[in-house]
Amino acid sequence: MQPAASADPLDPLPLIAGRQDSDSLTRIIFTPVWEKTRRGWWFLFLLGLAGTGLLTAAITVTFKEGIGSWGNNMPVAWAFGITDFVWWIGIGHAGTLISAILLLFQQKWRNSINRFAETMTLFAVMCAGMFPVLHLGRPWFAYWLVPYPNRMTIWPQFKSALPWDVVAVSTYFTVSLLFWYVGLVPDFASLRDASYSRLKRIVYGIFALGWRGSSRQWHHHKIAYLLLGGLATPLVVSVHTIVSFDFAISQLPGWHTTLFPPYFVAGAIFSGFAMVLTLIIPARRILGLEEIITLKHIDNMNKVVLATSMMVGYGYLMETFIGWYSADKYELFSVANRMFGPFAYMFWLLILCNVLAPQVFWSRKIRTNVVATWIVSILVNVGMWSERFVIVVVSLHRDFLPSSWAMYKPTWVDFGLLFGTISFFGTLFLLFLRFLPAISATETKELYKELSEEHAEATAA
Amino acid sequence: MSDWILGEFASEEKLLEAARELRAKGHAQVETYSPFPLRGASEAVGLRRSKIPALALFGGLSGATAAYLIQWFTNAVNWPINVGGRPPHSAPVFIPITFETGVLISAFFIFFGLWIILRLPQPYHPVFEVEAFRSASTDALWLSVESTNPSETEQLTNRLRGLGARQVSVVPEEP
Amino acid sequence: MSSSGSWPEPSGERQWRSIEEREGSAELRAALEREFPAGAAELSDGIDRRSFIQLLGASLAASAVGACTSAPAERILPYTRQPVGLTPGNPLHFATALSLGGRATGVLATSWEGRPTKLEGNPLHPSSQGSSGVFEQAALLQLYDPQRARLVKQRGTPRAWKTFLLDASLRLSASAKKDQGAGLRFLLEPNASPFVADFRTRMAQAYRNARFYGYDPLADDNGPRGVQLAFGQPSDVQWDFSKADVVVSLDGDFLQPPGPHLRHARAFSQRREPARLNRLYSIESTLTITGMMADHRLRLRPSEIQLFALELVQELVQQPGLSSLSGVSQASGQLARSEHLKWVKAVASDLARHRGRSIVIAGPSQPPIVHGLAHAINAVLGNLGQTLQLIRPVAGVESGVASLSALADEIKQGAVEMLVITARNPVYSAPADLDFGKRVASVPDSIYHGLYEDETWEKVQWGIPAAHPLETWSDARAHDGTVSIVQPLIAPLFNGIPEVELLASFLGVIDKSAHQILREFWIEHGPAAAFEQRWERWLADGFIANTASPSVQAALRPDSLISAIRDWVKEQQGQVRSTPDTLEVNFVGDYKVYDGRFANNAWLQELPNPITKVTWDNAALISPATARRLGLERDDVVLLQYRGRQIEAPVYVLPGHADDTVSLPLGYGRSGAESVARGVGFNAFALRHSAAPWFDRGLIVKKLSRKHKLAVTHDHWAMEGRDLAIQYAVERFEKEPNALEQLRGPTETLYNPVNFDREQYKWAMAIDLSRCIGCSACVVACQAENNIPVVGKVNVLKSREMHWLRIDRYFSGTLEDPAVITQPVACVHCEKAPCEYVCPVNATVHSDEGLNEMVYNRCVGTRYCSNNCPYKVRRFNYLHYTQNKPKSERMLMNPDVTVRARGVMEKCTYCVQRIERARIQSRIEGRAIRDGELTTACQQACPAQAITFGSLNDANSAVARLHRDQRRYDLLHELGTLPRTAYLARVKNPNPELA
């Protein structure tokens, strides 16, 4: 049985290529986990470890010396730290979005990439989660943001957006983790059953929790998985909304705007998809997953990237318009300062990367060209980082009283944390690729069956 | 005493057919096994609606309520402080945390509820005795039924063959 | 009170108590065992001088350290109330005085268990009137400076004080026998101390040929000569700016030291209120604090100012009834009509309209003729006895550059065998051409009494560590001659020797402490009756009443002035005007380090210069036009060549500076042992020439490729069209009295603001921009009061300075002739504070009385509050600035204020510690806190009385009245933060003729 390309005339690209069956799919998906560790993997892994070392160094200095080891100053009290935080959180949004929202919308093409995306989410949120703690003046008191009973009955102050952040980010991480694991259990079971080394059987067996794939288990599992997806969907929207509140509830020109929540969410999806592409394109090649992650997926993701790029573009447009329309001299100035101030190059860089570059995706040729897609996806990641930099730093460095204006210069620690977290992220991802199936075997098989049936009906008719 | 009879089927249709047949004959303990959820399997083995949605709702509501109460108590009751001239109890600013906590608790209820209902983790199960059963999680379709005496075991084995099982094996309960 | 317990071990290398102890002289150690050597007790006349000196030396060496354990038997008396006994936890206040440029300013010291932590002005003292300047405020940090000289040294090797006494006295007695001290010279820090005056006369008797010189590089010796020219008799001038409707300042920065600048600022600012507004014309070359206050400012090269003065006279003569100036005006002959003729006419007619109610004042850098002209004008306008008084000169040695060059010549001729220097570091601050360092080194016997092991210390034979003025007894006189007894607040921290004891030793008085010597002097000079009572009254008041010099009558006697002008005109004909490629050099005293004596004071180094806002540096100041012409911009390093010498300096382009002129602030580029001062800025003394110590033509500026980053705290000059620091002409203010209506009052809001009216107090502040002169005394006062750390140049460059109170300085108008306004900004304590609702841990919250409180130990350092503060007045401890404070500097901390650690936010608290002290006091007395009883540190220091603090719930309180003032407005009012600090717009009084 062969889900022919002609199954959907509007959509000639197949979601699963070649002649397959459950067994072959299992093989394709599990091979990367079973095969001997490749040299390339070791190389990248050591690279990642080195970068993680840099991260450790930067964190140590930050804790020992204080935030003084960063470039922050007055008025720029927030800089790289918060920029990185928002950037990582944004990246962390594609995962849940793909698995949850597309799950609810019954998008078939999601199944082959959702595991990938979810895992990325978890690691991205891990990286993001470091920064709120790191950027505290006295990080050892971070727990004061949590309401715990104490004899002085001093509580957190819930009008601030920071406790909201704490709850939102931790909730987001927890729910994503649960969602991810629930989806992973059946695959653990098949890994347990399909692998031959006793050790692997025991280890995977433990994580499989004794899953048998009985109709009873599937019965509850399906609904639980769907519900978690249903929860994750509003969650994903709320989390970045709340992150945007960090800025929106303040009164600083360039922060104080109702546009932020939708605009941040769009940006998050944007950067999230871009990061998925950045990772998946080399991965499918190296791990030989072309048959399961096909050009069709890349094509679809590129469409999402294009759409969200237009949304953020609209965001920039509105910011500028409102800056003018408000007739508020401070707003107007902050807009002008972004475009023509000392940090103008960051602004134009983000316009180039976030608005102009993705326009190439109007052409199907480029959407289905992996190299081009990969380059653009990287540009988008850069662009989104600079967008956050512009929002955080450029708004702060010139605000109400010209007497307190100042410039901002990052230190090696700032860069250490940025590139350190990127390497840490990469390291975790390599481990994931090595020990877990990058693609949900269960759902792929399910998908394959559905496709075959569709095909059968199509041919029957 | 009870034995487990396992049969592997070539196709979904046959598997579900067999399941229905056996239940019709009054065998309560029928189970199908598959690498991915089968449409109609639940009905075939006669499962009732899952309780998990109810758990989720309960968890969500209680979480949200608790969160709002905590914020209200700490900021407006236990020690109200003049913070920027804002009212100590201002509902709008309590919403984000209320919502997030609702989601979190709800997720916990779903997650742990699932394992409790399924009685997992469960390191041992009789069906794992059959080496061939490994294929259940990768590509094969299996069916299991319990018998209470050797004669029943015997006849169930034959029936399964009759229903088109490619292979049947029995897991005898240890003496 | 100086009986306070243990003092800090002077940090650094192992300490020895005296050189003999170190070298282990047995009998001395034995002597030291018993604190005071046997025999010292039963001193009889029979004892021979030599052994006496040994004993004395031992006991002195002992007491230098022994004082730790035994109190000097000296009583000094608390101000206003006598302590029954010192109540721990309650500070005491003592009156004393600090001298600068030879004139004393009365101060009150706050002392905690014998540990002075704060200086304030003495309200009763004529030249302080309760306020203080940056130097008074920063004096304490100098007192506790661990880098002060600690040991008597002979050519670098430690010696005992007694060894010095022995050595000196032997030589003296020798030279006395020989030739009555023909080779003996004193180079004194200028002072008018009655004791020193008496000492000089007694020395003159003992050693007929000994001679005295004084030196202060910024001393005003042109002024007195000018008076001489105009009135033909020496006298000091007392200005009363409160009576002057029109003030014309000829390069006279009368709001800054030297001189009674505090008194001037007080009187002048009183006249800056709309009702009784005066008008200030400032003719100057570099932008000064006085210039920033001017209603009309004319930029002239220093050399042109004399021309301006002459033109002014020629214009005045044409005014009715001023013909008596004709002689003077004719002397200058026909002057080339200058481009600013309109200006001169306007000033002249304005002066003529305000006879007897005007002041023309010239600055120390201007030649005597200008001073003479100024006095002549004052005389004919009938200002004498009205706005200025002539008084009998407050005695003192002449101490300008001239006196130092005279001494240098004497040394050159080998006439000097023993040179005693008490002047502050003359080797550094002497004009380069005198090559004073080499001169001093060539003197066989040179003795330097200094606070630091500085440039001068290196050149002398004997270095004597000086006791800080707050460590010792002496006396001094104020600008008007009023005498103050200077009493110590603490026994010498670093074995410093009092100047009084050093000088007395040359009269063979070596067995007495400064305290005894001084008392005996005052007992001699005055009715013996009831001396104790009088002495205690003097100490309690901080000065001796009715000791001001009497005023003298004088009439204008212009003959010598006329002839001086004639000579000048003659030599002018010879000279040529400065050609474009050579510029004019203009040496100015520094607002922060004076002549370099305060260079090791980190508070002052980090204080933003009131004009340029530069910290930790000085810079060559040039005008924008000249910068353009020479292709220079800020931070460019230039090579300055003048009279065959050259230095390198970074450039600062200063709007409003005179063209073709380079102003060089003195006092930086120190090379002494003081590590704070070393290498900060460039040394302008290296260009100074004794022939033209203030200004001269012929400076050549060459641009170098290097750059030197100046740490400027306030980079952006323009206000970007925002209503921040508001100033406008008084006419407009009268025409539209409600111009500021939309900048005050309630704003629209979603919920009702908290009501504070039912509280007992509703603390608030008002800052009057009309009065503020931008001198920055408040900034240092705040730093001293609130234990604010210093962060150093590197961190200032990263804009991490910690000042809770900063002074914003904005330019408006053209770059060439800008209008300047200064605006002190600290936390304005918003009733709806944006900083508070974003703090996640309740670390900054509001008090019932409306204080925006900062809870340090709750702060986790998210810095969110700072981001949301529109005034950006919050300061964050990015590093652990208060770690590793030298032990001595820890003594300086104010025990009422938490010392903050790393990672904590901080900001202005309205001096909450002072509020609480006042509250305790009022509760003890069962009453409410009275208005004016409570002052914040900035308010107390402010010489212009621009800052007012109090409760708004008392409708009659000063602050409440100011909050109702027509000039009141709120900073960033449109944000609806309801700040408790209100600003009063500055009104200017421009002359319609110059509009």
Short mmCIF file of all heavy atoms in Angstrom, two decimals, chain C residues 84-100:
data_model
loop_
_atom_site.label_atom_id
_atom_site.label_comp_id
_atom_site.label_asym_id
_atom_site.label_seq_id
_atom_site.Cartn_x
_atom_site.Cartn_y
_atom_site.Cartn_z
N VAL C 84 25.93 65.88 80.02
CA VAL C 84 26.16 65.44 81.40
C VAL C 84 27.19 64.33 81.36
O VAL C 84 28.02 64.13 82.20
CB VAL C 84 24.86 64.92 82.04
CG1 VAL C 84 25.12 64.51 83.47
CG2 VAL C 84 23.79 65.99 81.94
N GLY C 85 27.14 63.60 80.31
CA GLY C 85 28.09 62.53 80.00
C GLY C 85 27.65 62.13 78.64
O GLY C 85 26.51 62.36 78.27
N LEU C 86 28.55 61.56 77.89
CA LEU C 86 28.19 61.27 76.51
C LEU C 86 27.19 60.11 76.47
O LEU C 86 27.44 59.06 77.04
CB LEU C 86 29.46 60.93 75.75
CG LEU C 86 29.31 60.65 74.26
CD1 LEU C 86 30.48 61.28 73.54
CD2 LEU C 86 29.29 59.17 74.01
N THR C 87 26.03 60.34 75.87
CA THR C 87 25.04 59.26 75.76
C THR C 87 25.35 58.44 74.52
O THR C 87 25.24 58.97 73.41
CB THR C 87 23.63 59.86 75.61
OG1 THR C 87 23.55 61.02 76.42
CG2 THR C 87 22.58 58.83 75.98
N PRO C 88 25.77 57.21 74.69
CA PRO C 88 26.06 56.40 73.49
C PRO C 88 24.84 56.34 72.58
O PRO C 88 23.71 56.24 73.05
CB PRO C 88 26.41 55.03 74.06
CG PRO C 88 26.81 55.29 75.47
CD PRO C 88 25.97 56.45 75.91
N GLY C 89 25.06 56.44 71.27
CA GLY C 89 23.95 56.39 70.34
C GLY C 89 23.39 57.76 70.03
O GLY C 89 22.59 57.90 69.13
N ASN C 90 23.81 58.75 70.80
CA ASN C 90 23.40 60.12 70.48
C ASN C 90 24.63 60.94 70.13
O ASN C 90 25.56 61.01 70.92
CB ASN C 90 22.68 60.76 71.67
CG ASN C 90 21.27 60.24 71.78
OD1 ASN C 90 20.73 59.69 70.83
ND2 ASN C 90 20.69 60.39 72.95
N PRO C 91 24.63 61.55 68.94
CA PRO C 91 25.80 62.32 68.55
C PRO C 91 25.86 63.64 69.31
O PRO C 91 24.85 64.14 69.79
CB PRO C 91 25.56 62.57 67.07
CG PRO C 91 24.08 62.55 66.92
CD PRO C 91 23.58 61.56 67.93
N LEU C 92 27.07 64.18 69.42
CA LEU C 92 27.26 65.52 69.98
C LEU C 92 27.73 66.44 68.86
O LEU C 92 28.24 65.98 67.85
CB LEU C 92 28.30 65.49 71.09
CG LEU C 92 27.93 64.66 72.31
CD1 LEU C 92 29.09 64.61 73.28
CD2 LEU C 92 26.69 65.23 72.97
N HIS C 93 27.55 67.73 69.05
CA HIS C 93 27.95 68.68 68.03
C HIS C 93 28.98 69.63 68.61
O HIS C 93 28.80 70.16 69.69
CB HIS C 93 26.73 69.45 67.52
CG HIS C 93 25.68 68.54 66.97
ND1 HIS C 93 25.79 67.94 65.74
CD2 HIS C 93 24.53 68.09 67.51
CE1 HIS C 93 24.73 67.18 65.53
NE2 HIS C 93 23.96 67.24 66.59
N PHE C 94 30.08 69.82 67.90
CA PHE C 94 31.13 70.71 68.35
C PHE C 94 31.43 71.75 67.29
O PHE C 94 31.38 71.45 66.09
CB PHE C 94 32.40 69.92 68.65
CG PHE C 94 32.24 68.93 69.76
CD1 PHE C 94 31.86 67.64 69.49
CD2 PHE C 94 32.46 69.31 71.07
CE1 PHE C 94 31.69 66.72 70.51
CE2 PHE C 94 32.30 68.39 72.10
CZ PHE C 94 31.92 67.11 71.83
N ALA C 95 31.71 72.95 67.73
CA ALA C 95 32.01 74.03 66.79
C ALA C 95 33.51 74.11 66.59
O ALA C 95 34.28 74.02 67.54
CB ALA C 95 31.48 75.35 67.34
N THR C 96 33.92 74.24 65.35
CA THR C 96 35.32 74.50 65.06
C THR C 96 35.37 75.25 63.73
O THR C 96 34.35 75.77 63.29
CB THR C 96 36.13 73.17 65.01
OG1 THR C 96 37.48 73.47 64.69
CG2 THR C 96 35.56 72.22 63.98
N ALA C 97 36.53 75.32 63.11
CA ALA C 97 36.62 76.10 61.87
C ALA C 97 37.63 75.47 60.93
O ALA C 97 38.59 74.82 61.36
CB ALA C 97 37.02 77.54 62.18
N LEU C 98 37.37 75.61 59.64
CA LEU C 98 38.29 75.13 58.61
C LEU C 98 38.74 76.33 57.78
O LEU C 98 37.92 77.20 57.47
CB LEU C 98 37.60 74.12 57.70
CG LEU C 98 37.24 72.79 58.32
CD1 LEU C 98 36.33 72.01 57.40
CD2 LEU C 98 38.48 71.99 58.64
N SER C 99 40.01 76.35 57.43
CA SER C 99 40.53 77.49 56.68
C SER C 99 40.83 77.10 55.25
O SER C 99 41.25 75.98 54.96
CB SER C 99 41.81 78.03 57.34
OG SER C 99 41.49 78.56 58.60
N LEU C 100 40.57 78.06 54.36
CA LEU C 100 40.95 77.89 52.96
C LEU C 100 41.36 79.27 52.47
O LEU C 100 40.66 80.26 52.74
CB LEU C 100 39.79 77.33 52.15
CG LEU C 100 40.13 76.91 50.72
CD1 LEU C 100 41.14 75.78 50.72
CD2 LEU C 100 38.89 76.49 49.97
#
